[in-house]
Every structure is written in C-alpha cells, then in structure tokens.
C-alpha cells in the first residue's frame, strides 16, 4: 500500500516541493474532487510568492503490478495555452504491441499512437490539436486499451473504461473555467 501511495504522488513530485525547490510535504489544498468512474476531476491551490496559484486536472492512475516488480501507469489532462495537454506516465522499459496503445469504440479503433516515446516509456505528451483529437476519441470511445510488456518482461493488458469520461470532462471544464484556467472553449 505504501508503494501505491508513493506512485500516485510521483507524477506531482516536483509540485510537492516548497518554492525554493526543497522536498517537503505538499502545501497544495484540494478545492474540488469528483470521481466519475475511474476518472478523477481535481482542483487545488496554494500561495506562491504572495499570489494564489490554482490548477485543475483529470487524472487516472493504475497500479498493474505490486511488489517486488512494481509497475503503474497514469494519465493527466491539464489546461494548456492552446487548450489542454495530455501526459501519459509510462515506465521506462515498457514495450507496447504494434496496436496496443489505443482508444476503442464499438466498431473498431477511434485513436491510436505509434509514437516511439509513448511505446517505450520515454515520454508521451500531447498538446494542441493532437490533444484535442485524443479528447474527442475519449468522448466517443468505449475504452482505452494498453497491451504491453512491462519493464520486468511481464505481459500486461489494461482496459480503462471511458463511459464516465464525459462527466469528468464536463466537470473539469466547468471547474477550470470558473478559475479562469482554460484559454479556449472545447
């Protein structure tokens, strides 16, 4: 359980530092938290140099392997200057099958990536029109499918249902707009 908690906090480790960069307990205060199935819509805030800093995001994290061969994967959707940014947290050494990183709909594939960084855990971030394309596919899709070998060589097949993503997306947009964090309407 300790590793699960550490993993869920790992994507925001940099944000859990004080303003001088020292590792400290996070001083972010959660101001909004809604669960929509496996999708969480979250907003929080803190004071930075005398000004209030706010953020909102959609998060999904899954631990697929526990000790001793811990493994997990996450997605963060955050406001960006040109819409939203989507970051997938994939462990280095992960190897996806040829069509194993995709969004499925009732009748086939709605979206897939074959970007080398995404398929090998080297980095997987989408911005602008590419992020918009993924959000549209998530709103129309049935499930995310991740078929891969983890960094320990174990076969994995994760399915993230998308049935309640629309509710999380609407909540995220409403909360981010209320805080003036989204620059364009999606």
């Amino acid at each position: 359980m300790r590793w699960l908690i550490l993993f869920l906090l790992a994507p925001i480790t940099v944000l859990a530092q004080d303003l001088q960069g020292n590792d400290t307990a996070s001083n972010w205060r959660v101001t909004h938290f809604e669960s929509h199935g496996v999708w969480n819509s979250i907003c929080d805030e803190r004071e930075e140099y005398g000004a209030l800093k706010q953020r909102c995001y959609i998060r999904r994290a899954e631990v697929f392997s526990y000790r001793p061969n811990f493994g997990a994967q996450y997605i963060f959707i955050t406001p960006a200057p040109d819409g939203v940014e989507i970051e997938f947290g994939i462990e280095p050494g992960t190897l996806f099958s040829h069509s194993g990183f995709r969004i499925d709909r009732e009748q086939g594939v709605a979206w897939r990536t074959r970007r080398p960084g995404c398929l090998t855990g080297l980095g997987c971030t989408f911005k602008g029109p590419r992020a918009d394309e993924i959000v549209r596919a998530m709103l129309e899709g049935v499930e995310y499918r991740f078929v891969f070998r983890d960094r320990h060589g174990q076969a994995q097949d994760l399915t993230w249902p998308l049935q309640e993503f629309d509710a999380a997306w609407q909540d995220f947009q409403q909360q981010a707009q209320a805080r003036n964090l989204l620059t364009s309407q999606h």
Side-chain angles (χ1 to χ4, degrees):
M1 184 56 116
R2 177 178 33 174
W3 290 105
L4 174 62
I5 292 168
L6 289 174
F7 170 76
L8 293 176
L9 296 175
I12 56 174
T13 303
V14 171
L15 302 174
Q17 296 176 342
D18 65 18
L19 299 178
Q20 290 75 39
N22 302 312
D23 290 329
T24 63
S26 176
N27 60 349
W28 289 96
R29 294 174 303 278
V30 174
T31 58
H32 177 78
F33 182 95
E34 289 288 330
S35 290
H36 301 277
V38 301
W39 304 96
N40 297 315
S41 173
I42 303 166
C43 297
D44 49 24
E45 65 186 21
R46 74 177 179 185
E47 291 289 324
E48 288 188 3
Y49 306 108
L52 182 66
K53 173 152 178 137
Q54 298 177 311
R55 61 186 186 174
C56 291
Y57 48 93
I58 293 177
R59 177 187 70 193
R60 164 70 175 138
E62 182 173 346
V63 175
F64 55 80
S65 182
Y66 295 92
R67 286 175 148 179
N69 295 327
F70 179 80
Q73 187 168 303
Y74 68 85
I75 182 175
F76 272 90
I77 302 174
T78 58
D82 56 349
V84 296
E85 179 176 306
I86 300 175
E87 177 188 1
F88 292 92
I90 302 163
E91 297 191 16
T94 299
L95 295 173
F96 281 84
S97 68
H98 182 65
S99 65
F101 196 128
R102 68 184 189 268
I103 298 171
D104 290 336
R105 59 178 162 229
E106 292 290 335
Q107 303 298 321
V109 175
W111 176 87
R112 80 179 75 217
T113 187
R114 293 200 171 115
R115 289 173 56 183
C118 295
L119 301 180
T120 59
L122 295 176
C124 190
T125 301
F126 296 86
K127 300 176 184 179
R130 288 184 151 173
D132 293 341
E133 178 185 354
I134 295 170
V135 169
R136 279 191 304 276
M138 291 174 75
L139 291 168
E140 298 168 2
V142 174
E143 63 189 18
Y144 252 110
R145 286 295 305 276
F146 302 100
V147 181
F148 59 96
R149 288 211 172 273
D150 66 23
R151 64 187 173 136
H152 305 288
Q154 297 297 306
Q156 304 289 341
D157 188 345
L158 306 182
T159 300
W160 293 355
L162 291 168
Q163 287 77 11
E164 295 190 54
F165 178 76
D166 182 47
W169 177 248
Q170 295 303 320
D171 186 68
F172 162 75
Q173 285 188 305
Q174 180 183 32
Q175 295 299 322
Q177 285 289 355
R179 292 162 177 79
N180 202 29
L181 299 174
L182 286 177
T183 57
S184 63
Q185 186 70 16
H186 282 81

